Each structure stands twice: as structure tokens, then as C-alpha cells.
Amino acid sequence: SPLSEKRNGHTLSPCAQVTQAENEASSSSSSSLIPCPMKDSSISGTPSSSQCSQSASFSSTVTTGTSLSRSTEGSSSQEEMEKSEGGSTSQEEMEQSNLLDEKVELLISFLLQKYQMREPVTKADMIGNVVKEYKDDFLEILRSASERMELVFGLDVKEVDPISHSYTLANKLDLTYNGMLSDQQGMPKTGLLIIILGVVFMKGNCATEEEVWKVLNMMDIYSGRKHFIFGEPRRLITSDLVKERYLEYQQVPTSDPPRYEFLWGPRAHAEVSKMKLLEFLAKIHGTNPKSFPSQYEEALRDEEDGEQEPDSPVYLSLKLIT
């Protein structure tokens, strides 16, 4: 049966806290990731009102950090439950849904531990250590955990051997960055990096510090406040990720008092396909990349220009460095 959010009175794990905090932040804020009019460095003119509407909707979706289809599936499943129960969801079904959600949270923790130890994981491992008596619901639990891993931590859960059902965790967008910097016991930070790269890209390849923090604040991430996944976020995005050459952080020209902006760093240009990034952002929005026409055209140009060619001098030089 489809999974539902935790109810009041239940203890929330760190993964559930991410979901709850981001849902609350999303519902309490009307700010959008891409305010209208959208900045566009490649195509002149003002975006259509429909594109602006999609941009605002995209913002509220990207900040949830939950299952991409959770709300749709949840509403449809609730309707089915109401039909089968004569108009109301039974307490037994609610409890079953909560128990499955707990298994999802436990599986996320188990997968993160395997990622930190750089160990593959099998279906037998997941059933024996986490899923146990709910093995009939294994595929549903794994699907929901995989979607949260993708959105919150920027990690893909991939099956590498369909015979032994062996899985591995890989950085989204094929980034060489392991997401944990020098702290090998830390939590993966790739998800935050992907979100910031996405903000910069959608804002015309240059986003002010205020614009970036506006989005991060919607995700309950604040400058100077330690986050249990991302640590001290200001140092992470203005220093650590800059040193990793994924971001550039510079003063806005002629700004007085000084203001700062973010751009993609050379390592992001070498490793990140704008089309793959746009596909990921569109997936979050529940649409397709062509819904963002200016970004789609830019991504197409980059694909045609071979910006991510593995034999390019920039790519090879960065590979030597990393």
C-alpha cells in the first residue's frame, strides 16, 4: 500500500525530519525558486505567464524533498481506501502505512551507511536487515527510499546485477564529487550542490547570494545555523564547494555595499550536463525539459557543442587534479 507521511505523536528519524521540515517550509512560503520575470542570458524578451506559473510551481515542489509522486499517489490511494471502507480510511490501514514509512526511513539510513563505507548492497541485505517481515512490500519501500535519496542526498540507487540483485549508490549527474568532502563519516551533500547548480542555471547562469539563500531558507537551511545533514551551510557553499571548483563566489561588479553572486565553477562545467540537470529539475516539477524553453535551448546547444566531452582539455586537467 502507498506510503504516507508520519502522524503527530510519532518519533521522526533524521530522514523524516528532513521531509517534515521541508514540507513545513514549503507550505509556509510563497517564494518561488525562479521569480517572474525569469532572468535569461541567452534569449531576449520576457517569459510567458505560463512559464512563470510553471516556475513558481517548480519551486514549491523542489523544496519538499519527498517522493515525486507522493501527493498524487497518496490522494488516489486514499480515495480507493475510502471507497473500500465506505467513506473513511480504516485505522488498520493508517497504521500499516506508518509502519511501511518507518521501513523507508530505516532503509535510507542503511543505504547511507553502505554509501559511507563504499560497499554494495543486495536485495537480501535490505530484506534481512531492514525490511524483514514486509518483504512483500520490498519494491514499494525501495522505490520510495530511492526517490528520497535522489532528492535529498543527490544519490541514485542503481541495480548493477539483476541476477544477484546487487545495488550501488552513485552521485546524481555522474559527479566525481563524493558529497562528503574530507569528512568521510559525514552525510552526502551532493543534493545541496545539485540544487544550487540548478538555481544558478535557472536564473540565467548567475544567481545572487540573496536568491540562493531564499531557496535554501525554504528548505529550512539558514546561514550560521548548523544543519544535521549539511553542517554549517555558509561555509559549505561559499568555501568548501568553491575549493572543490564546483561553484564560483564573487562580488557583484560595482555593488556598494558589496553584494555577492554564485556561478558554476570549472568542475561543474566539465562534469555536469545541463540537459541531464534540466531533466532532473523537470522530473521534480512533474513535467518535461521543454517546459523551460530558454534553458532547454541552452542545454541543447551545450550538447551540440560537446561541452562535457571527456577528451576536452578542461575535463582532462580537472581529472588530474581530482
Side-chain angles (χ1 to χ4, degrees):
S1 55
L3 309 177
S4 65
E5 297 299 328
K6 298 296 291 176
R7 275 32 177 210
N8 292 335
H10 286 260
T11 301
L12 300 183
S13 71
C15 294
Q17 291 173 31
V18 175
T19 300
Q20 184 187 60
E22 292 173 355
N23 278 335
E24 290 173 354
S26 176
S27 62
S28 64
S29 175
S30 60
S31 303
S32 65
L33 174 60
I34 314 158
C36 299
M38 183 188 298
K39 291 174 63 179
D40 193 322
S41 62
S42 59
I43 299 177
S44 59
T46 304
S48 65
S49 58
S50 63
Q51 184 173 350
C52 292
S53 175
Q54 290 172 339
S55 300
S57 176
F58 167 85
S59 168
S60 64
T61 309
V62 75
T63 55
T64 61
T66 59
S67 168
L68 298 177
S69 55
R70 172 185 294 266
S71 59
T72 303
E73 292 179 350
S75 59
S76 62
S77 63
Q78 186 172 353
E79 289 174 2
E80 292 174 1
M81 288 180 183
E82 289 176 353
K83 289 179 182 178
S84 64
E85 294 297 326
S88 62
T89 303
S90 70
Q91 182 65 29
E92 182 180 349
E93 287 169 330
M94 298 279 280
E95 291 177 355
Q96 173 76 359
S97 183
N98 284 338
L99 289 172
L100 289 178
D101 208 24
E102 288 174 4
K103 291 295 183 181
V104 171
E105 295 161 15
L106 289 172
L107 183 56
I108 290 172
S109 297
F110 181 74
L111 291 172
L112 286 174
Q113 183 181 31
K114 290 292 185 180
Y115 177 73
Q116 291 169 329
M117 298 172 67
R118 290 171 172 75
E119 293 180 356
V121 60
T122 65
K123 178 180 178 179
D125 291 334
M126 290 184 273
I127 291 178
N129 290 281
V130 179
V131 178
K132 298 180 179 178
E133 68 273 20
Y134 292 93
K135 62 182 180 180
D136 290 342
D137 298 299
F138 169 74
L139 290 179
E140 182 183 355
I141 293 169
L142 178 62
R143 176 193 57 77
S144 186
S146 298
E147 288 175 344
R148 295 194 204 180
M149 294 283 287
E150 180 184 22
L151 289 179
V152 178
F153 299 103
L155 297 174
D156 273 336
V157 181
K158 298 180 179 180
E159 187 176 28
V160 293
D161 188 340
I163 298 176
S164 65
H165 297 291
S166 177
Y167 296 80
T168 187
L169 275 71
N171 283 322
K172 193 73 185 171
L173 307 182
D174 299 320
L175 298 172
T176 58
Y177 172 57
N178 70 9
M180 294 187 290
L181 300 168
S182 59
D183 182 5
Q184 297 304 309
Q185 299 304 313
M187 298 287 274
K189 300 172 178 64
T190 323
L192 184 62
L193 170 59
I194 292 173
I195 291 298
I196 296 174
L197 292 176
V199 173
V200 173
F201 177 46
M202 300 299 283
K203 297 294 289 184
N205 297 309
C206 180
T208 66
E209 185 171 18
E210 292 83 1
E211 290 167 337
V212 170
W213 281 112
K214 185 176 184 179
V215 173
L216 297 185
N217 289 169
M218 292 170 66
M219 298 171 65
D220 204 32
I221 300 172
Y222 297 91
S223 176
R225 181 191 297 179
K226 188 172 181 179
H227 193 275
F228 71 94
I229 294 176
F230 305 118
E232 207 299 291
R234 171 168 289 279
R235 189 183 76 174
L236 175 65
I237 69 175
T238 64
S239 177
D240 295 339
L241 293 176
V242 172
K243 289 177 181 176
E244 294 282 339
R245 306 183 73 185
Y246 278 110
L247 294 174
E248 291 183 0
Y249 178 66
Q250 62 186 31
Q251 184 175 339
V252 176
T254 71
S255 61
D256 186 22
R259 294 171 57 240
Y260 293 85
E261 60 188 5
F262 289 94
L263 298 87
W264 281 25
R267 193 169 168 188
H269 282 289
E271 294 181 7
V272 178
S273 161
K274 288 182 179 177
M275 184 59 74
K276 287 184 179 180
L277 176 62
L278 187 59
E279 288 171 353
F280 174 65
L281 300 178
K283 180 180 177 182
I284 293 176
H285 180 54
T287 184
N288 64 74
K290 291 184 179 179
S291 299
F292 306 97
S294 62
Q295 287 80 12
Y296 183 74
E297 290 185 20
E298 180 181 345
L300 275 181
R301 287 196 300 271
D302 281 355
E303 294 290 298
E304 293 168 358
D305 294 341
E307 183 176 286
Q308 285 78 38
E309 284 295 327
D311 293 332
S312 69
V314 174
Y315 186 93
L316 291 173
S317 64
L318 284 169
K319 218 174 172 190
L320 290 173
I321 294 172
T322 57

Coordinates of all heavy atoms in Angstrom, one line a residue, residues 11 24 41 56 63 70 80 86 91 105 130 137 177 199 207 235 243 253 263 272 276 310 321:
T11 N 7.7 9.4 16.7 CA 9.1 9.9 16.7 C 9.7 9.9 15.3 O 9.5 8.9 14.6 CB 10.0 9.0 17.6 OG1 9.5 9.1 18.9 CG2 11.5 9.6 17.6
E24 N 7.0 21.8 5.8 CA 6.5 22.9 6.5 C 7.1 24.2 5.9 O 6.3 25.2 5.8 CB 7.0 22.9 8.0 CG 6.3 21.8 8.8 CD 6.8 21.6 10.1 OE1 7.9 22.2 10.4 OE2 6.3 20.8 10.9
S41 N 19.9 34.9 -19.9 CA 21.1 35.5 -20.5 C 21.2 35.1 -22.0 O 22.1 35.7 -22.7 CB 22.3 34.9 -19.8 OG 22.4 33.5 -19.9
A56 N 7.0 29.0 -10.6 CA 6.6 29.1 -9.2 C 6.2 27.7 -8.7 O 6.5 27.4 -7.5 CB 5.4 30.1 -9.1
T63 N 11.3 22.0 -3.1 CA 11.7 22.2 -1.7 C 11.1 21.1 -0.8 O 11.4 21.1 0.4 CB 11.2 23.6 -1.2 OG1 9.8 23.7 -1.4 CG2 12.0 24.7 -1.9
R70 N 4.4 11.4 -4.5 CA 3.7 11.0 -3.2 C 2.3 11.6 -3.1 O 1.4 11.0 -2.7 CB 4.6 11.5 -2.1 CG 3.9 11.4 -0.7 CD 4.8 12.0 0.3 NE 6.1 11.2 0.4 CZ 6.2 10.2 1.3 NH1 5.3 9.8 2.1 NH2 7.4 9.6 1.3
E80 N -9.2 5.3 -2.9 CA -9.5 3.9 -3.0 C -9.9 3.3 -1.6 O -10.8 2.5 -1.5 CB -8.3 3.1 -3.6 CG -8.1 3.5 -5.1 CD -6.8 2.9 -5.6 OE1 -6.1 2.2 -4.8 OE2 -6.4 3.0 -6.7
G86 N -16.1 2.4 2.7 CA -17.4 3.1 2.9 C -17.3 4.5 3.2 O -18.1 5.1 3.9
Q91 N -8.3 2.5 10.6 CA -7.2 2.7 11.5 C -6.1 1.7 11.1 O -4.9 2.0 11.2 CB -7.6 2.6 12.9 CG -6.5 2.8 13.9 CD -6.0 4.3 13.9 OE1 -6.8 5.2 13.6 NE2 -4.8 4.5 14.3
E105 N 12.4 4.9 6.1 CA 13.4 5.7 6.8 C 14.6 4.8 7.3 O 15.7 5.2 7.2 CB 12.7 6.4 8.0 CG 11.7 7.4 7.7 CD 10.7 7.7 8.8 OE1 11.1 7.4 10.0 OE2 9.7 8.3 8.6
V130 N 16.6 -4.9 7.2 CA 15.6 -3.7 7.3 C 14.2 -4.2 7.1 O 13.3 -4.0 8.0 CB 16.0 -2.6 6.4 CG1 15.0 -1.4 6.5 CG2 17.4 -2.1 6.6
D137 N 6.4 -6.1 0.4 CA 6.3 -4.7 0.0 C 7.7 -4.1 -0.3 O 7.9 -2.9 -0.4 CB 5.8 -3.9 1.2 CG 4.3 -4.3 1.6 OD1 3.5 -4.1 0.7 OD2 4.1 -4.7 2.7
Y177 N 32.5 14.3 -7.4 CA 32.4 14.7 -6.0 C 31.7 13.7 -5.2 O 30.6 13.3 -5.5 CB 31.7 16.1 -6.0 CG 31.4 16.6 -4.6 CD1 32.3 16.8 -3.6 CD2 30.0 17.0 -4.3 CE1 32.0 17.4 -2.4 CE2 29.7 17.5 -3.1 CZ 30.7 17.7 -2.1 OH 30.3 18.3 -0.9
V199 N 19.6 26.2 -9.3 CA 19.2 27.6 -9.1 C 20.0 28.6 -10.0 O 19.5 29.4 -10.7 CB 19.4 28.1 -7.7 CG1 19.1 29.6 -7.5 CG2 18.5 27.3 -6.7
A207 N 23.4 33.6 -10.1 CA 22.4 33.8 -9.1 C 23.0 34.6 -8.0 O 24.1 34.3 -7.5 CB 21.8 32.5 -8.6
R235 N 29.6 28.0 5.1 CA 31.0 27.6 4.8 C 31.0 26.5 3.7 O 31.9 26.6 2.8 CB 31.6 26.9 6.1 CG 33.1 26.7 5.9 CD 33.7 26.0 7.1 NE 33.4 24.6 7.1 CZ 33.9 23.7 8.0 NH1 34.7 24.1 8.9 NH2 33.5 22.4 8.0
K243 N 36.2 25.6 -3.2 CA 37.5 25.0 -3.2 C 37.5 23.7 -4.1 O 38.4 23.4 -4.8 CB 38.0 24.6 -1.8 CG 38.4 25.8 -0.9 CD 38.8 25.3 0.5 CE 39.1 26.5 1.3 NZ 39.4 26.1 2.7
P253 N 29.8 43.1 -9.6 CA 30.5 44.3 -10.0 C 29.8 45.6 -9.7 O 28.6 45.7 -9.8 CB 30.6 44.1 -11.5 CG 30.5 42.6 -11.7 CD 29.6 42.1 -10.7
L263 N 28.2 31.5 -9.5 CA 28.3 31.0 -10.8 C 28.7 29.5 -10.8 O 29.3 29.1 -9.8 CB 29.2 31.8 -11.7 CG 28.9 33.3 -11.9 CD1 29.5 34.1 -10.9 CD2 29.4 33.7 -13.3
V272 N 29.0 18.4 -15.4 CA 27.5 18.4 -15.4 C 27.0 18.7 -16.8 O 27.3 19.7 -17.4 CB 27.0 19.5 -14.4 CG1 25.5 19.5 -14.4 CG2 27.5 19.2 -13.0
K276 N 21.0 16.9 -18.6 CA 20.6 16.0 -17.5 C 20.1 16.7 -16.3 O 19.2 16.3 -15.6 CB 21.9 15.1 -17.2 CG 22.2 14.1 -18.2 CD 23.4 13.2 -17.7 CE 23.7 12.2 -18.8 NZ 24.9 11.3 -18.3
P310 N 34.6 14.0 -22.8 CA 35.6 13.6 -21.8 C 37.1 13.8 -22.3 O 38.0 13.7 -21.5 CB 35.3 12.1 -21.7 CG 34.6 11.7 -23.0 CD 33.8 13.0 -23.3
I321 N 43.6 16.8 -11.4 CA 43.5 17.5 -10.1 C 42.8 16.6 -9.1 O 43.2 16.5 -7.9 CB 42.9 18.9 -10.2 CG1 43.8 19.8 -11.1 CG2 42.6 19.5 -8.8 CD1 43.1 21.1 -11.4

